[in-house]
Amino acid sequence: MTVIVPSSSLAPPDALYADELTASPLSNADLAPTTLEQRTWSVWSITALWVSMCACIPTYMLASGLIDNGMNWWQAIATIFLANVIVLVPMVLNAHAGTRYGIPFPVYCRAAVGTAGANVPAMVRALVGCGWFGIQSWIGGQALFAIACIFRPKLADPTWPTFLGVTGPQFAAYGAFWLLNLIVIVAGINSIRWLLNIKAPLLIALGFALLGWAYYRANGFGDMLRQPSKFGPDWTASRAFWQTFALGLTGMVGFWATLSLNIPDFSRYAKSQRDQIVGQAIGLPPTMALFAFIGVAVTSATPTIFGKTIWNPVELIQTFKNPWALGLSMGAVAVATLATNIAANVVSPANDFAHLAPRFIGFRLGGLITGIVGTLMMPWYLLANAHVYIDTWLVGISALLGAVGGVLVSDYWLVRRAKLSITDLYRRGGRYGYDRGINWSALLAVAVAVAACVPGFCDQATGGRVLAADTNAVAFVLKQLYAYGVFVTFAIAFVAYALFMAGHPNARMATEPVATAVELPTNGHE
């Protein structure tokens, strides 16, 4: 591993600069680089992490919006698989810095956006994480609500007063699950791996159990797996199909777009680049496609069994008559959702909020802030219908995060050739200080990229009232830019940032280390 250290020393950077990092106002125990001893995650640890995070209720329901919008089952599953192969690329590229330098996402951002400007992408990532925290907490709360209704059926009475579309008992169940998350947060980050080790086999077993139950009860998987595409046999020539495919693909990429940015928060614990690359390739696309297929297959059988389509597995499990089966199943859903929520939606936002004031905000307080903001975003509304959830929420955030990702990948791989100065990442006046801590070129590149998708987003959010009909060429182009938002914004930001940084003094510094780069013994930790 190559790190920038004085040429006379062969000491690991964490030992060499321990005192300086400890004293830095830009560092705390959660933001400091991991030591070689902390980098213990093998390829199977990374695979297990992704299997655990992918096997969740939103993945089970992921194909529902695509099928509702006209795709048949295999088109939906293929779209999901392709999207996850695509998102794997920036995932691996951004993970490289975490594994090489042991730094979390907010610190990684300092090289491109500045020691102060890094708060902008960190807060973008944090707010998206808060939204996902609320969504997962709402799903977990539904599981607790179903368990409570076993003992108190009156809690399910629809005549309960509602506030913002939610009954008192439903919100109480959400609050209970919300508190469970806080208990794990207070217990510390080490409790997460324990939860994930339980969760992965638990929810996968539940998924296959539902699959077998549905097949047995319906004498097969029903009509959904035989249902043709609504776009007709010549769907490849259908403009409506490709519009649906574009929005769906972009939305599916947006599903893990947040993790593609902050993956250094996890890859910093990997033993080597091979471990993080192979582990992610094995754990992400196949698991997403498999669990989404389980959701499609089980849902396909529900019209035969119940006379209606039931996509939500929590609602499906609520139909079980045996209280033991119902209680155990809902308990499994609650534990599994809790584990996914903490790993995917708390670790990174907590670090991002800590980055605002490292000396005052740590992991636990950052986790509490995440929980509060997630509730204020009303997750029950985001899950209310596929249009809001996929076409607006997922596609919209993917476009924004795509621009941030474009800047980060361009800076790390094109401008700096994967070479960073660890100590300057924690110095206000170092090479990443820019203009009072902000690299305006990076923020301008993000703004230019996002601007291309703003008209399409406004049109989508208002139900098509902003842009004219598809016969208008300009309106059609603007809609397509939004439909492929994550790809458009990533490409524009990548190129724009490289152009803006051409000739920039800091760009020259990226290839002129302040000290000699030497090879340090890494024991396989690249």
Side-chain angles (χ1 to χ4, degrees):
M1 177 179 73
T2 301
V3 290
I4 298 172
V5 298
S7 58
S8 61
S9 174
L10 289 177
D14 47 276
L16 182 65
Y17 298 120
D19 292 340
E20 183 174 350
L21 291 180
T22 301
S24 171
L26 298 179
S27 180
N28 62 25
D30 299 312
L31 298 179
T34 53
T35 63
L36 297 183
E37 290 73 21
Q38 291 174 311
R39 303 182 192 187
T40 60
W41 289 25
S42 67
V43 60
W44 298 115
S45 300
I46 302 295
T47 300
L49 171 72
W50 274 110
V51 170
S52 298
M53 289 196 294
C54 292
C56 61
I57 304 301
T59 303
Y60 179 100
M61 300 169 60
L62 203 54
S64 64
L66 298 177
I67 292 176
D68 285 346
N69 287 336
M71 289 187 178
N72 61 29
W73 75 269
W74 68 262
Q75 290 170 341
I77 300 302
T79 301
I80 291 170
F81 182 80
L82 176 61
N84 283 275
V85 171
I86 291 172
V87 82
L88 184 65
V89 175
M91 195 86 70
V92 167
L93 293 176
N94 283 324
H96 186 278
T99 302
R100 171 172 281 191
Y101 299 105
I103 54 176
F105 170 68
V107 176
Y108 170 51
C109 292
R110 291 173 183 174
V113 197
T115 52
N119 284 315
V120 175
M123 285 303 98
V124 168
R125 166 62 185 96
L127 291 175
V128 173
C130 289
W132 278 116
F133 176 90
I135 289 172
Q136 291 278 11
S137 294
W138 178 252
I139 291 171
Q142 283 185 300
L144 295 185
F145 177 71
I147 295 174
C149 289
I150 297 174
F151 303 99
R152 295 290 300 274
K154 289 184 179 180
L155 294 175
D157 191 336
T159 61
W160 280 88
T162 62
F163 178 70
L164 297 176
V166 181
T167 66
Q170 286 177 318
F171 198 83
Y174 170 79
F177 190 82
W178 188 89
L179 287 175
L180 282 176
N181 282 270
L182 288 191
I183 291 172
V184 176
I185 292 169
V186 170
I189 196 169
N190 290 331
S191 62
I192 296 173
R193 288 187 70 184
W194 177 81
L195 268 176
L196 290 176
N197 288 337
I198 294 176
K199 176 267 174 96
L202 191 64
L203 201 57
I204 289 177
L206 179 61
F208 278 109
L210 277 176
L211 194 64
W213 169 84
Y215 187 87
Y216 173 77
R217 285 289 307 275
N219 293 317
F221 285 129
D223 293 333
M224 189 178 294
L225 297 186
R226 295 186 293 270
Q227 178 178 307
S229 168
K230 293 180 182 178
F231 304 105
D234 193 21
W235 53 270
T236 56
S238 170
R239 174 185 287 189
F241 169 80
W242 291 112
Q243 181 73 15
T244 300
F245 171 78
L247 285 171
L249 184 70
T250 307
M252 297 308 107
V253 170
F255 191 83
W256 289 120
T258 52
L259 263 295
S260 72
L261 292 183
N262 70 266
I263 192 63
D265 288 327
F266 298 98
S267 66
R268 63 196 296 227
Y269 298 104
K271 290 181 178 181
S272 69
Q273 297 295 353
R274 177 187 177 278
D275 287 300
Q276 68 94 354
I277 293 171
V278 176
Q280 293 196 85
I282 295 174
L284 177 56
T287 306
M288 289 294 292
L290 172 63
F291 215 68
F293 171 75
I294 290 175
V296 171
V298 173
T299 303
S300 178
T302 56
T304 303
I305 301 171
F306 302 104
K308 63 177 181 178
T309 300
I310 302 177
W311 274 105
N312 191 334
V314 174
E315 182 183 348
L316 177 61
I317 293 171
Q318 285 177 310
T319 64
F320 291 178
K321 303 301 182 184
N322 187 311
W324 285 102
L326 176 58
L328 288 174
S329 298
M330 286 302 180
V333 169
V335 171
T337 304
L338 177 66
T340 297
N341 213 19
I342 296 294
N345 306 317
V346 172
V347 173
S348 294
N351 284 338
D352 296 335
F353 286 122
H355 191 264
L356 287 173
R359 289 305 186 188
F360 301 100
I361 303 176
F363 175 77
R364 291 174 176 82
L365 180 55
L368 176 61
I369 296 172
T370 300
I372 293 173
V373 176
T375 300
L376 294 177
M377 296 177 76
M378 297 193 299
W380 50 89
Y381 175 74
L382 292 176
L383 282 174
N385 59 77
H387 172 76
V388 173
Y389 181 52
I390 292 182
D391 297 347
T392 305
W393 166 252
L394 286 182
V395 177
I397 64 171
S398 69
L400 177 59
L401 295 175
V404 175
V407 167
L408 296 180
V409 172
S410 180
D411 179 79
Y412 183 71
W413 288 102
L414 192 61
V415 175
R416 306 190 189 281
R417 316 289 175 163
K419 295 179 181 179
L420 301 176
S421 168
I422 296 178
T423 49
D424 280 332
L425 288 171
Y426 294 89
R427 286 176 179 160
R428 290 196 198 281
R431 63 173 57 196
Y432 310 120
Y434 296 101
D435 179 12
R436 287 167 290 186
I438 300 175
N439 183 8
W440 296 103
S441 295
L443 297 183
L444 180 60
V446 171
V448 169
V450 171
C453 294
V454 169
F457 173 79
C458 294
D459 183 69
Q460 190 71 46
T462 58
R465 290 193 291 270
V466 173
L467 299 177
D470 285 352
T471 53
N472 184 309
V474 175
F476 177 75
V477 170
L478 292 175
K479 288 182 179 182
Q480 294 305 304
L481 287 176
Y482 175 71
Y484 290 96
V486 64
F487 309 107
V488 170
T489 56
F490 183 94
I492 292 176
F494 183 93
V495 174
Y497 180 79
L499 292 175
F500 294 159
M501 290 296 288
H504 193 287
N506 190 279
R508 290 195 294 271
M509 290 172 64
T511 57
E512 298 170 6
V514 293
T516 303
V518 299
E519 293 295 325
L520 296 181
T522 61
N523 298 322
H525 302 279
E526 187 176 279

